[in-house]
Amino acid sequence: MDGMQMSRIVEQYCRKVTSTYENIKITRIADRKTVFVEQTGESGRAVMLNEYKVDGITCWAGYSTRSQTVYISMTA
């Protein structure tokens, strides 16, 4: 996933709170997280989140290629 597509997904989520974007699932996680551990069976995988600002709202978001999911954490 490229940066432009990720920005569009984050913008759409912040403005409309949608749970999917095309074939990509969007999941909100706990506030103020910058890393999320995605559980897959007995193991886990860290998903690093990047900072995005949309309409004065700051959030953190990251993409997992394994599950094709964008994880979003709001700052407030």
Side-chain angles (χ1 to χ4, degrees), residues 29 35-40 43-48 71:
I29 58 174
V35 177
F36 178 71
V37 178
E38 179 182 54
Q39 295 294 324
T40 53
S43 64
R45 179 179 185 180
V47 178
M48 304 302 291
Y71 294 100

Side-chain angles (χ1 to χ4, degrees), residues 39-68:
Q39 295 294 324
T40 53
E42 293 183 10
S43 64
R45 179 179 185 180
V47 178
M48 304 302 291
L49 309 181
N50 295 310
E51 183 178 26
Y52 293 88
K53 294 187 182 205
V54 178
D55 299 335
I57 299 168
T58 302
C59 66
W60 291 81
Y63 178 68
S64 169
T65 55
R66 181 176 288 172
S67 64
Q68 294 187 342

Side-chain angles (χ1 to χ4, degrees), residues 5-66:
Q5 186 178 15
M6 187 69 170
S7 293
R8 282 193 300 264
I9 291 169
V10 172
E11 286 175 14
Q12 181 180 357
Y13 179 85
C14 288
R15 292 180 179 147
K16 299 179 184 177
V17 188
T18 59
S19 60
T20 59
Y21 179 85
E22 296 177 4
N23 294 331
I24 299 169
K25 182 178 171 186
I26 303 170
T27 301
R28 183 168 176 184
I29 58 174
D31 291 348
R32 299 186 177 118
K33 298 289 182 187
T34 58
V35 177
F36 178 71
V37 178
E38 179 182 54
Q39 295 294 324
T40 53
E42 293 183 10
S43 64
R45 179 179 185 180
V47 178
M48 304 302 291
L49 309 181
N50 295 310
E51 183 178 26
Y52 293 88
K53 294 187 182 205
V54 178
D55 299 335
I57 299 168
T58 302
C59 66
W60 291 81
Y63 178 68
S64 169
T65 55
R66 181 176 288 172

